[in-house]
Structures are given as structure tokens and as C-alpha cells.
Amino acid sequence: MSLQILAVDDSRTIRDMLKMALTQAGFETSLAEDGMHGLEVLDGMAPDAIITDINMPRMDGFGFIEAVRAQDKHRATPILVLTTESAPELKARARAAGATGWIVKPFDPEKLVRALRTVAGPGGA
């Protein structure tokens, strides 16, 4: 089963690493540069899961998560936060905004793929 993933990160390097890891896992991957761009890309798709950074220009990850959750069709879409941040209060704020999980950079591609399959696939496809 091919999962469709939206990855939002202002770092070109991270976007490239995500694209490579997710494509190798057989996922269809769409990329966005920040929260505002993420909402634009999301408008034309129905992803199985979303990955977002927290610290981004124009709209940060918290604002992006809240904006995604405000849309009926994306209320249940799993959202994984991928960030260098690890402070408990930021994790709590992300969960309050609607995040499903939290992964700290640098990420292990295999663990990320496993996490996506767990949250997005039926029965962890």
C-alpha cells in the first residue's frame, strides 16, 4: 500500500532527506517550505499523514497543525512533528494543537517510516 505523505519543513536539506527516505519506502511524498505553503499544498490532496517542523517562517508548526485541524476533512489525519526541539512544554503544546506524535531530528529514516506506517496504515500496514 502506497501512503501519501505531506512533509512541511523550511530546511531544503531536511526536505530532501525526507523525500529520499519516504520515496524509498514506497510513499508518495509532497513537500512544502513552511506552514503557509503547507496549507496551499494540502488544499489539493488528502494525505494519509503529515510531517511538520515547528520552527518555520510565515507560519510555524503549531499554527499549521491548528489550521489543519480546523478543516473537517483533516481532523483525523495523523500529524507527526519532526523538530530539533525536545522540551516537554513544546511537546504538550503540539499535542494540544492536535499533533499525533513527536520525532526529534536528526531522524532515523527506518524509524520514521515505521512511525508513519503505524499512524497512517490500517493496522500498521
Side-chain angles (χ1 to χ4, degrees):
M1 178 183 100
S2 177
L3 295 177
Q4 192 172 24
I5 309 297
L6 170 60
V8 184
D9 199 299
D10 60 319
S11 162
R12 175 182 288 280
T13 304
I14 294 294
R15 286 195 310 272
D16 289 348
M17 289 168 58
L18 284 168
K19 178 91 173 171
M20 192 165 66
L22 299 176
T23 302
Q24 285 177 347
F27 297 166
E28 288 178 45
T29 310
S30 298
L31 303 172
E33 298 172 12
D34 59 36
M36 294 294 286
H37 187 217
L39 291 176
E40 291 167 18
V41 174
L42 183 63
D43 194 37
M45 67 183 297
D48 295 295
I50 298 169
I51 300 168
T52 184
D53 188 14
I54 290 294
N55 300 311
M56 298 181 289
R58 295 201 308 160
M59 178 187 280
D60 69 9
F62 298 119
F64 174 69
I65 293 167
E66 288 168 357
V68 170
R69 290 296 184 230
Q71 300 178 32
D72 284 340
K73 66 179 182 175
H74 299 300
R75 246 177 225 169
T77 304
I79 301 175
L80 294 180
V81 174
L82 179 67
T83 182
T84 54
E85 304 286 350
S86 59
E89 61 271 17
L90 293 176
K91 288 183 184 180
R93 186 173 163 201
R95 285 210 192 287
T100 310
W102 187 278
I103 297 172
V104 177
K105 294 176 188 171
F107 66 94
D108 175 331
E110 287 180 22
K111 285 184 182 168
L112 178 65
V113 166
R114 239 187 343 262
L116 286 167
R117 286 196 169 118
T118 299
V119 298

